[in-house]
Amino acid sequence: LEPILLKQRAAPRLPALQETTKLANPHYLPDVCIKVTLINFTVTTQGLEEQMLGDVVSIEKAELEETKNKIIQSVASDRRKLKQYEDQILDELEAASGNILDNQKVIDSLKKAQSTSGLLANRLREAEEKSQTINEARMQYSPVATRASILYF
């Protein structure tokens, strides 16, 4: 690589050296990274715009972006809990012997899961409403994010 780079300095009209790879995250030695410009073309316009929107909103209205992140985390946590209850019920049903209606442990688990799933459904609905409000507020900064992504491409 060194002789090629030296030749490019001597004759600037030589074609540029281009290297492509199918690796998602290629690793190059630090001395190579210093001497060349690496460009990752796997970025999409929409993905970059969403990332820029998040950055702009976190700078302009940090509490809005923080609330959005908390909602995302709480929704994920609630879904995990719901999945745990489902798995627990399935395990208890599998382990139950005889008539399932006579097994008090299974009945208690079903009642607990039902009440909890109702609460979680309400929280998910509230999170969806808050998320819509936050997204409407975030869309005020959409032109800035669009312009930033256009500058990249």
Side-chain angles (χ1 to χ4, degrees), residues 76-100:
S77 173
D78 290 347
R79 287 187 178 155
R80 234 180 289 120
K81 285 180 186 176
L82 200 54
K83 178 71 174 148
Q84 287 175 350
Y85 283 130
E86 290 173 358
D87 291 343
Q88 180 183 1
I89 290 171
L90 289 175
D91 289 341
E92 290 176 1
L93 286 173
E94 186 179 326
S97 59
N99 190 357
I100 297 172

Side-chain angles (χ1 to χ4, degrees), residues 69-82:
N69 291 336
K70 285 182 181 177
I71 288 173
I72 290 171
Q73 289 175 351
S74 70
V75 167
S77 173
D78 290 347
R79 287 187 178 155
R80 234 180 289 120
K81 285 180 186 176
L82 200 54

